[in-house]
Amino acid sequence: MPMKPKKRTYNTRRIRLGASYSVQEVSKLFGVHKNAVLKWVKDGLSPIDKHRPYLLYGRDLAAYLNTKQGNRKHKCKPDEFFCFKCRVPRRPWGNLVDIVIRNEIRLNLSALCGACGTVMNRAGAARKLSEYQKIFTAQSKRDERITACPSPSVTCDIGKDAARDELHP
Ligand SMILES: [Zn+2]
């Protein structure tokens, strides 16, 4: 790499959360090289599936960039999310989070800002699932893994969701 790229801030408000983007579209949207986008994928931004050409959910892209940018300037505590409206780390409203398991490695957490009610997103490690469930009240949990889970113990742990009974009485 001849020049170290300057750290820049991406305006994630330009991302349509309900849309999906190709790598090319993302590179156009932010005026970055395609390789930069591919680097994000390597770095943990999950594509819709693993086949190239990659497609990225707007929601994931925004969450990824928000986390990336949020972590740079503000260190969130384990029970905090970065709120992009308040521009500071915030506790979730009612300590409630939604958990989406993306794959064996990653999951996404989303919550509403305790101060302003804006949706806040955070990427997390799938292996820390039980940790998150201790910190937060899991309002919902969705497993988006497409392929059958090769490890039955993982599936089993997910089944032991303490919050589930409260959610579906
Ligand atoms: Zn807020």
Side-chain angles (χ1 to χ4, degrees), residues 4 9 23 27 69 78 88 95 122-124 126-127 141-142 167:
K4 208 172 154 51
T9 306
V23 169
S27 99
Q69 290 169 183
V88 287
N95 204 37
R122 213 174 97 179
R127 67 188 153 79
K141 186 148 58 85
R142 212 166 75 234
L167 293 169

Side-chain angles (χ1 to χ4, degrees), residues 15-117:
I15 303 166
R16 280 179 302 140
L17 297 183
S20 54
Y21 292 88
S22 69
V23 169
Q24 228 138 9
E25 284 165 337
V26 175
S27 99
K28 242 192 235 159
L29 185 67
F30 292 119
V32 295
H33 195 273
K34 254 174 58 184
N35 286 348
V37 183
L38 290 171
K39 225 173 111 190
W40 297 347
V41 173
K42 249 192 185 162
D43 185 46
L45 169 63
S46 331
I48 291 172
D49 62 41
K50 286 179 189 135
H51 302 291
R52 293 190 185 219
Y54 290 137
L55 266 185
L56 304 157
Y57 279 129
R59 192 171 285 111
D60 292 345
L61 179 64
Y64 170 79
L65 289 176
N66 284 341
T67 306
K68 191 181 163 82
Q69 290 169 183
N71 284 350
R72 204 154 78 211
K73 278 180 268 174
H74 309 266
K75 200 84 186 138
C76 289
K77 295 198 186 85
D79 62 345
E80 288 176 333
F81 286 61
F82 185 78
C83 174
F84 273 79
K85 199 154 179 201
C86 301
R87 309 203 72 78
V88 287
R90 292 285 195 199
R91 303 264 336 260
W93 179 83
N95 204 37
L96 293 172
V97 298
D98 292 319
I99 300 173
V100 179
I101 297 162
R102 305 303 314 277
N103 51 46
E104 302 302 318
I105 297 155
R106 303 192 66 80
L107 53 78
N108 286 356
L109 299 165
S110 70
L112 299 178
C113 171
C116 75

